[in-house]
Structure formats: structure tokens, C-alpha cells
Amino acid sequence: MLVPVILSGGAGTRLWPVSREGHPKPFIRLADGQSLFQKTALRARKVADTLMVVTNREYYFRSRDDLAAQQLDARYLLEPFGRNTAPAILLAALAAEDAWGSDACLLVLPADHLIEGEEAFREAVNKAEALARDGFLVTFGVMPTHAHTGYGYIQQGEALGEGYRVQAFREKPEQAVADRYLAEGGYLWNSGMFCFTAGHILSAFRTLQPALFEKAEACHRASPEAKALSGAVEIDACHFEACEDISIDYALFEQAANVAVVPARFSWSDIGAWDAMAALGQPDASANRFEGEVINVDSHGCYVRAEDRLVAAVGVEDLVIVDTPDALLVARKDKVQAVKSVVAELKARKHDAYRLHATVHRPWGTYTVLEEGRQYKIKRIVVKQGASLSLQMHHHRSEHWIVVSGMARIVNGETETLLRPNESTYIAAGHQHRLENPGVLPLVMIEVQSGEYLGEDDIVRFADNYGRQ
């Protein structure tokens, strides 16, 4: 049995301001409306009948909604926080062995890569699976198209029929070294995709990383299925924290003797920065690439992404301009790798823009901050059909709710009411309350908060359908 395991959750800091901690890179929408996560899942289901997703607990409902939109489902392992790829893959292998036995073949795929060439992908997977069943730990090496310095490299060794034994892994090189790799041949880009049986990868962990294996096995035993999350497994936080934060490359692949590589001839990109995102679009006569409503006057070689409003570019060259409702990025194309430094500065300032968009996704829907000032905040709230917020209370703020469209069932203290469009209600500070959409259409409301403190942490939950504290 072949089981694709999708690793989803990397923040993608070089793709800020679209990618943020609360809306990471796998959920970025491309021009066709699909997210990178959706594209990965659809690709995986074309080679297998089941999916396993390892992601952060905070991304579970967003992941489930993305798959449901494509008529897909998956088993989920939910991490309480990030611990790199080795613990994630080890726990996935333990879960797969329990579910399908040690002969189950795992195909590990990052959720945020873009691959084109369905037949070439299927061919590479078939070759990798054959090697995996012969006892190899298999990685996929992408045939390099140029001397890229942003990727690690794999040096091919002796031929193995369906692939090659790995002679060495090479770190991201300087330009001169990358030029030499391309000229010499026999070097592949390290894609970060893997294939192996559950039994063989677990045996490798037992031998090469016994301490990590022991801690992960204890974590696996302590992580029962959570009925509140439709059978998804919430990984036990205490045991998971004890697992070493280490990548699968360092933990196993650079040490094991039975490592093979399959050269992959499909088009591949990890969309690591805005220059890679820009390359996906079709250029105009001046080598510009535009998304959204853009006016260009004598600009050349620019990428402009306008999400929410008109952007005009006048007489500029080789710029990346990414405009979102609450943040604007302007960067030279040759400096886009440094965008991660912006995120680091935002974190240092404790600025919400590193973490959240103006529109924030929740299990029940979304809210958008429309305006905020001293002692007031205005939001647009959209609640999905049949969904409800938690039964909750705020100490420091009161709320006015106005229904714009749809129907709202509201619990306010001991009172329950139904509100229709153009009707409103008031929630006093200290009152237990709950908002529910009992209708078949999305509920859209305007919420006006007022009070001395309006932070999102001023919330006491008494009951919640989504397992939140």
C-alpha cells in the first residue's frame, strides 16, 4: 500500500506579506484559485487512494476545508508546535505501521511545492516505490536546469536500476560551486521528497537515532484519537516537546548506508521566495508580471501582486511589489531572499503583521478587522453554514452585532434570539454569549467592540465545538 504523507505548516517567511504564521505558505492561492496544499493533495491522490497529513493543530480546520473543496479527505496528525521533519515523519511512520502494517510504503511530500508533469511524477514515484520495497530509503533529486544556489544538491553514485545510490549530500553552494556541479553533471537538486516503507524507516530510526525513536514512540502511545476532531490524532504536547528538533536529512539520510535517489524529470519549484512566485506568471512585452488590478506606465521587469486595491507602477524596474490589505512589500528582485529579515523585525516588535492578516481564518469562518482606534474595533464576521462560535465571555469589552446577510442564532445570558438582516443586538461585558449560523447560507455580520482592552486574548470559553481551550 502506498500512503502519501503531506507535511504542511512551514511559515514561508520569504513570502511575507501573503504568507504569515497564521496563514502559512501551503495555503497561498495561486492564479488558478488553488492553494499549494490543494495541488499537493490532488497530485498525491492520483498515485494513491489515501492521504495522511501532518500539520499544526492550528491549521487543521483550514486544511480540512481546503481538501473538502476538492472532494478529498485525509487522516491527520496534529502537532502542538513545530519540531522539524524527523519527528513528524517518525510519528507518521508509527501511525502508518499501526494502520497498514510495516510494509506500507510512505511517500513524503512537502505541502508547499509546485510540480508540473503528471506522468513524469507518477513515473518517479513508481521507481522510488520499487527501490523502497528493496530496502532503500529513497529521496527524489530534481534534474537541475541552471546553477541554483538556493537548493541543496545530491551527488549520484552507482546505478541501482531504478535510480542511484547517493554518494553525498551537498549544502547550498556558492555560485562558483553550483556552476561546477552543473558542468560536471551527476548532481541533482535536493527536493525534500522521500519514499520508504514504514518498517525500513522505523528500523533506521531505531539504529541511528535511538533516543529520538524512544521519545517519539512514547509520544505516539500518549496521543489517542481526539473524537472532537473527527478522528484526527492530536500529538501529545509534553512528549512531543522532548523530541529533538532535527530534519530527516541530518537525522537519517546523511548517515544511513541504504540511501538511494531517483532523478525526477518533472518541473519542480519549492516557491522559496517572490522571484519564484513571479516566474509562474506570463510576462508582458516589458518582462512584467502582474496579478490583480495593476496600471503600468513605463515599468520593466517588475512583479506586482495587487490583492485588494488598485496598484500603479510608474517608471520602475526589477521590483517586487506585493500589496495586501494591511501590509505592502516593495523589494528589489535581487533582494527578495531578505524578506525573512522583515518578518524577524516584526517578531522583535511583537507586531501582529508577522502572524495574522487583516482577515483571520477560524474553524467557524473568518473575521476581518475593518477599523481600529482607541477603545473601539470594527470587524466583519462571516460564519459558515451550520457553524457556531464558542460559548464565551469577555471581561473588558462589550459588543454590538448587526446582521448584514443570513440568519444568526444568538445566546446572550439566559436569552436566545434569532436575528435577520438589518437587525442587531448588544452583548454586555461579562455576559456569556454564543453566535451560531442555523441557516444554509453564510452569515455576515458587523461587530463593533468597545472597551478598555480589545485584545483577542480577552476571551473565556465555556464550551467549544472545535476542542479549543
Side-chain angles (χ1 to χ4, degrees):
M1 184 172 184
L2 181 66
V3 182
V5 178
I6 299 177
L7 304 181
S8 179
T13 55
R14 287 186 290 266
L15 290 174
W16 183 92
V18 175
S19 179
R20 307 196 190 183
E21 191 174 279
H23 179 82
K25 180 180 166 187
F27 301 118
I28 290 180
R29 301 281 164 178
L30 301 185
D32 61 4
Q34 289 184 344
S35 69
L36 290 167
F37 175 63
Q38 287 175 320
K39 288 181 177 295
T40 302
L42 287 167
R43 184 167 60 250
R45 278 301 305 270
K46 289 180 180 179
V47 298
D49 294 328
T50 189
L51 291 177
M52 182 183 293
V53 175
V54 184
T55 189
N56 190 285
R57 200 242 189 246
E58 293 298 316
Y59 308 145
Y60 167 62
F61 293 98
R62 186 70 190 276
S63 302
R64 195 179 66 175
D65 289 348
D66 257 19
L67 292 191
Q70 305 294 322
Q71 288 80 51
L72 298 177
D73 199 1
R75 293 171 177 247
Y76 290 89
L77 292 181
L78 306 180
E79 298 177 327
F81 38 78
R83 264 296 181 268
N84 219 315
T85 53
I89 291 171
L90 176 47
L91 285 167
L94 289 166
E97 185 181 52
D98 279 358
W100 301 292
S102 59
D103 289 335
C105 198
L106 307 186
L107 174 65
V108 178
L109 304 172
D112 53 4
H113 291 183
L114 185 64
I115 290 175
E116 296 177 355
E118 182 178 321
E119 287 305 315
F121 176 72
R122 188 189 303 273
E123 179 185 352
V125 169
N126 290 341
K127 290 179 178 180
E129 184 177 4
L131 284 169
R133 296 202 180 281
D134 284 340
F136 286 94
L137 308 181
V138 186
T139 185
F140 293 79
V142 177
M143 301 294 293
T145 58
H146 59 285
H148 203 298
T149 60
Y151 300 144
Y153 284 73
I154 299 170
Q155 185 177 6
Q156 296 174 194
E158 65 173 299
L160 295 171
E162 298 295 342
Y164 298 87
R165 191 177 295 276
V166 170
Q167 183 170 326
F169 288 91
R170 306 296 184 186
E171 295 293 336
K172 296 175 183 178
E174 298 292 332
Q175 188 62 59
V177 177
D179 291 338
R180 178 169 60 81
Y181 289 167
L182 192 65
E184 290 180 1
Y187 289 88
L188 306 167
W189 289 339
N190 189 348
S191 71
M193 301 188 297
F194 309 99
C195 189
F196 31 68
T197 67
H200 289 136
I201 195 69
L202 292 176
S203 176
F205 271 112
R206 285 191 193 96
T207 302
L208 298 173
Q209 296 289 340
L212 177 58
F213 180 84
E214 181 181 347
K215 290 179 173 63
E217 194 172 40
C219 184
H220 175 65
R221 290 195 301 267
S223 305
E225 287 194 357
K227 295 180 180 178
L229 297 180
S230 304
V233 174
E234 290 199 77
I235 296 171
D236 181 80
C238 291
H239 287 84
F240 193 57
E241 189 173 20
C243 294
E244 184 181 359
D245 187 334
I246 186 173
S247 72
I248 191 72
D249 303 76
Y250 290 131
L252 290 187
F253 273 73
E254 295 187 9
Q255 301 184 53
N258 58 330
V259 178
V261 60
V262 169
R265 302 186 183 278
F266 46 71
S267 172
W268 169 88
S269 174
D270 68 349
I271 317 293
W274 281 114
D275 55 347
M277 184 69 78
L280 302 179
Q282 290 297 319
D284 64 13
S286 297
N288 297 301
R289 292 173 169 88
F290 299 140
E291 296 181 47
E293 191 175 7
V294 179
I295 293 177
N296 171 40
V297 179
D298 196 29
S299 294
H300 304 274
C302 294
Y303 171 71
V304 181
R305 178 175 175 137
E307 290 201 343
D308 198 52
R309 57 186 171 180
L310 171 68
V311 173
V314 181
V316 293
E317 293 186 5
D318 297 326
L319 291 184
V320 168
I321 301 172
V322 181
D323 188 38
T324 68
D326 67 331
L328 169 67
L329 170 69
V330 180
R332 276 179 18 199
K333 273 189 173 179
D334 61 351
K335 293 293 185 180
V336 291
Q337 295 290 335
V339 172
K340 62 183 180 181
S341 299
V342 176
V343 178
E345 178 64 21
L346 289 170
K347 282 186 175 183
R349 296 185 186 186
K350 299 182 179 179
H351 195 297
D352 270 351
Y354 87 86
R355 191 170 57 91
L356 299 172
H357 282 276
T359 295
V360 178
H361 290 265
R362 288 288 184 255
W364 43 261
T366 64
Y367 72 80
T368 303
V369 177
L370 303 176
E371 186 174 332
E372 186 172 2
R374 179 174 172 79
Q375 297 189 345
Y376 79 92
K377 183 185 292 185
I378 303 172
K379 290 181 176 180
R380 178 176 63 247
I381 295 176
V382 180
V383 184
K384 295 183 290 190
Q385 304 93 309
S388 66
L389 282 67
S390 58
L391 179 64
Q392 59 186 249
M393 180 265 287
H394 310 294
H395 288 293
H396 303 289
R397 71 174 186 252
S398 60
E399 298 172 339
H400 294 261
W401 290 347
I402 306 165
V403 176
V404 176
S405 63
M407 181 179 291
R409 177 181 289 127
I410 295 169
V411 173
N412 186 2
E414 301 297 323
T415 305
E416 182 177 311
T417 57
L418 284 175
L419 293 185
R420 293 171 175 81
N422 206 32
E423 295 180 338
S424 63
T425 191
Y426 169 72
I427 310 293
H431 277 213
Q432 286 191 25
H433 58 279
R434 187 168 213 160
L435 172 62
E436 178 184 350
N437 178 2
V440 295
L441 299 174
L443 164 64
V444 181
M445 291 179 30
I446 298 298
E447 175 184 88
V448 180
Q449 302 176 0
S450 58
E452 296 179 355
Y453 179 71
L454 305 175
E456 293 300 323
D457 55 347
D458 178 23
I459 181 171
V460 179
R461 290 192 176 98
F462 301 96
D464 185 69
N465 295 339
Y466 312 106
R468 297 172 296 176
Q469 296 300 314

